[in-house]
Amino acid sequence: MRTYWGILLSCILLSGCGAETLNAIELRPLSSYRVEQDPEILLTKQTQEKLLTYCEHRPTDVLPERRAMVAEVTFHHPLYEVLGSKTVKYFAAGDERYLTCANSNELMERTFAVEPIQAYEALEPERFQESNVVSTIEFERIDELKAVTSTFNLNETHEEVISDSVFRYKTPDTGAIYVTFETIRNGRTLDPIIEPKLYPFQSGENEGYVFLTRRADDRLTLQIGEASSLKQLVLPNIYEAPYMKVDPKEEISLKGNHRELMKRIILSDRPIEGDVAEETSLSLSKTYGTVLEIWGHVRRPVTNKMSTRPAEGETRLAVFESDQDTIWLDGPKTQELFDALSHIQSHEKPSVAVKIGDLHLYEELTEQSFDVWKTETELYLVDQHTSQSYELPANDYFQVIQP
């Protein structure tokens, strides 16, 4: 037993029985960015950095229903548009203050209770007038189809907007429309064919459209959103039919957690006659073949649930700069480098190493920089912020010339 413990202790001290790997990635808010906000608001660099730092924390709050949106600022990456932007909104609710953050590739805003920010607190009192926001989404029917066609630049030769399917909606609060689909065919309800969909919207007054189109190949498409961010769902082939009729519903009101039938589509191999509004879907399916019901309800954010940051979809970039060249790593090479840095060994840089350049990592509006050093056989990285030194597994990441 003594021999065993002696060997184990020797392994630990000499590190010859396996070295501990570390995560070298400690991305920090950008040191510079392009800011878009009201021209009357002046935020110091320290305040801007404070806002971005808040957004990197784990969200723990939701917005109160009574509140005022005081100000909004959007941060853009100064060099690489592909890395997107981050929009921060400042809210007042009594004596409490909140921030919401959303990256340009994220579906949900994240909410944080924060200390008052003086640059915003000094704004005119009108900005702090609170109002109650509700989780009701109102849909108003639109009969003028040309307006929708022009708004969304639809090619009428390839895509036809279906009459009675167009609604303009307003969303007064943050959350999402959760849409589910039920298919009734020949007198029975089928197992789910279309996956439920979540259509999120940000805090504040949002307006958009929801409508159906029929494509040249007879496929049906559900479309929802604004002109700048229209989301499309192409329905499976089972919903193709030579004849189709949409319930002429006038208005829809979706309340929080109240499921409502938004639209009903009858599909048939023969003409669909008369008023179908009073008939059940079961009865219509027996007569005509297929009925598709589109249901929706409002989902409000839940702490650490809807407001959490998505786990995927981040855009990453690695840039190597030397006196001779600048190299942008992309695709699998970037992912390979990030993976290597998340399981890397801490190692003192040898005195014989020669500095060959700088490595900059970017993910959305965060960055991290390393000095890159090289010996005849090895690469070493030194974090420019912490001075921590690491040995990088040999690879042709930077395509460098032997020193």
Side-chain angles (χ1 to χ4, degrees):
M1 181 62 72
R2 288 180 180 176
T3 302
Y4 168 80
W5 284 111
I7 294 172
L8 181 60
L9 181 59
S10 299
C11 285
I12 294 172
L13 293 175
L14 299 176
S15 68
C17 295
E20 181 184 0
T21 59
L22 303 173
N23 185 354
I25 299 176
E26 298 180 31
L27 295 164
R28 305 167 186 97
L30 280 176
S31 57
S32 63
Y33 21 78
R34 184 163 51 85
V35 176
E36 179 184 326
Q37 63 181 347
D38 291 347
E40 62 199 77
I41 300 175
L42 295 176
L43 297 179
T44 65
K45 198 71 176 175
Q46 291 78 11
T47 301
Q48 293 176 17
E49 290 175 359
K50 180 190 289 186
L51 294 177
L52 289 171
T53 301
Y54 271 127
C55 292
E56 297 308 313
H57 296 161
R58 183 172 179 80
T60 56
D61 302 279
V62 295
L63 289 172
E65 292 188 13
R66 182 170 180 81
R67 62 177 189 254
M69 197 191 85
V70 178
E72 177 180 330
V73 58
T74 300
F75 298 91
H76 299 268
H77 196 285
L79 299 176
Y80 307 112
E81 291 292 337
V82 68
L83 290 167
S85 61
K86 189 187 303 287
T87 298
V88 182
K89 299 176 185 177
Y90 186 69
F91 292 87
D95 295 331
E96 303 298 325
R97 298 293 183 263
Y98 296 87
L99 286 180
T100 63
C101 300
N103 296 322
S104 51
N105 69 329
E106 289 182 332
L107 298 180
M108 301 294 176
E109 291 176 318
R110 290 164 279 126
T111 302
F112 310 83
V114 298
E115 294 296 320
I117 296 174
Q118 292 309 311
Y120 291 142
E121 295 297 314
L123 296 172
E124 59 270 18
E126 290 77 11
R127 290 178 177 260
F128 291 82
Q129 290 181 357
E130 299 175 13
S131 61
N132 287 317
V133 292
V134 294
S135 58
T136 301
I137 302 177
E138 302 295 338
F139 293 82
E140 174 192 3
R141 181 173 157 180
I142 302 295
D143 293 319
E144 182 49 62
L145 303 187
K146 285 287 183 183
V148 176
T149 302
S150 60
T151 298
F152 294 98
N153 296 318
L154 298 179
N155 188 326
E156 296 180 80
T157 304
H158 302 289
E159 197 164 22
E160 174 192 4
V161 180
I162 297 172
S163 300
D164 297 326
S165 76
V166 183
F167 289 81
R168 179 190 288 116
Y169 66 81
K170 290 185 178 181
T171 67
D173 196 11
T174 186
I177 308 173
Y178 185 68
V179 181
T180 53
F181 306 85
E182 293 188 8
T183 304
I184 300 93
R185 175 171 262 193
N186 298 325
R188 68 185 186 91
T189 301
L190 305 184
D191 291 335
I193 296 173
I194 308 172
E195 291 290 326
K197 297 294 179 182
L198 195 68
Y199 297 98
F201 45 88
Q202 295 187 353
S203 55
E205 292 282 349
N206 301 281
E207 293 191 9
Y209 290 86
V210 56
F211 56 95
L212 291 163
T213 62
R214 184 179 224 158
R215 300 191 169 186
D217 60 359
D218 285 335
R219 299 284 294 274
L220 291 180
T221 304
L222 172 66
Q223 316 218 32
I224 184 169
E226 307 167 62
S228 59
S229 59
L230 185 66
K231 299 176 179 65
Q232 302 179 336
L233 172 63
V234 181
L235 304 186
N237 292 336
I238 188 176
Y239 302 106
E240 292 178 18
Y243 297 97
M244 179 177 59
K245 191 164 188 175
V246 179
D247 266 354
K249 206 168 189 177
E250 291 298 326
E251 292 182 352
I252 309 168
S253 181
L254 294 183
K255 300 178 175 61
N257 297 322
H258 176 70
R259 188 169 180 260
E260 177 81 19
L261 179 61
M262 296 170 60
K263 189 57 58 181
R264 192 170 62 162
I265 309 165
I266 300 97
L267 304 121
S268 179
D269 292 330
R270 61 189 181 87
I272 302 165
E273 301 172 348
D275 184 9
V276 299
E278 300 303 319
E279 291 194 56
T280 66
S281 297
L282 194 66
S283 172
L284 288 169
S285 73
K286 290 178 180 177
T287 305
Y288 295 109
T290 302
V291 177
L292 173 63
E293 295 181 342
I294 304 176
W295 294 77
H297 77 266
V298 178
R299 283 194 171 180
R300 297 287 306 283
V302 178
T303 302
N304 288 333
K305 203 167 186 180
M306 279 189 63
S307 57
T308 55
R309 187 174 183 170
E312 57 186 7
E314 298 122 343
T315 301
R316 289 171 160 177
L317 181 66
V319 181
F320 174 75
E321 294 179 342
S322 67
D323 293 337
Q324 293 79 31
D325 204 0
T326 298
I327 299 169
W328 288 268
L329 279 71
D330 57 6
K333 209 68 175 174
T334 296
Q335 186 60 50
E336 186 180 333
L337 177 60
F338 271 79
D339 290 343
L341 291 174
S342 65
H343 298 84
I344 197 171
Q345 293 182 15
S346 177
H347 197 291
E348 191 67 29
K349 173 180 64 66
S351 58
V352 296
V354 177
K355 184 179 178 183
I356 59 173
D358 300 293
L359 172 65
H360 305 285
L361 305 180
Y362 299 99
E363 182 178 307
E364 295 163 349
L365 291 188
T366 58
E367 65 181 351
Q368 186 176 1
S369 296
F370 296 90
D371 294 327
V372 182
W373 297 75
K374 184 174 174 63
T375 64
E376 289 187 2
T377 57
E378 305 294 341
L379 284 173
Y380 297 89
L381 301 181
V382 179
D383 190 312
Q384 293 180 0
H385 182 76
T386 64
S387 299
Q388 178 70 49
S389 178
Y390 306 92
E391 180 182 344
L392 186 65
N395 205 304
D396 61 347
Y397 293 119
F398 314 125
Q399 306 170 17
V400 292
I401 301 173
Q402 193 82 359

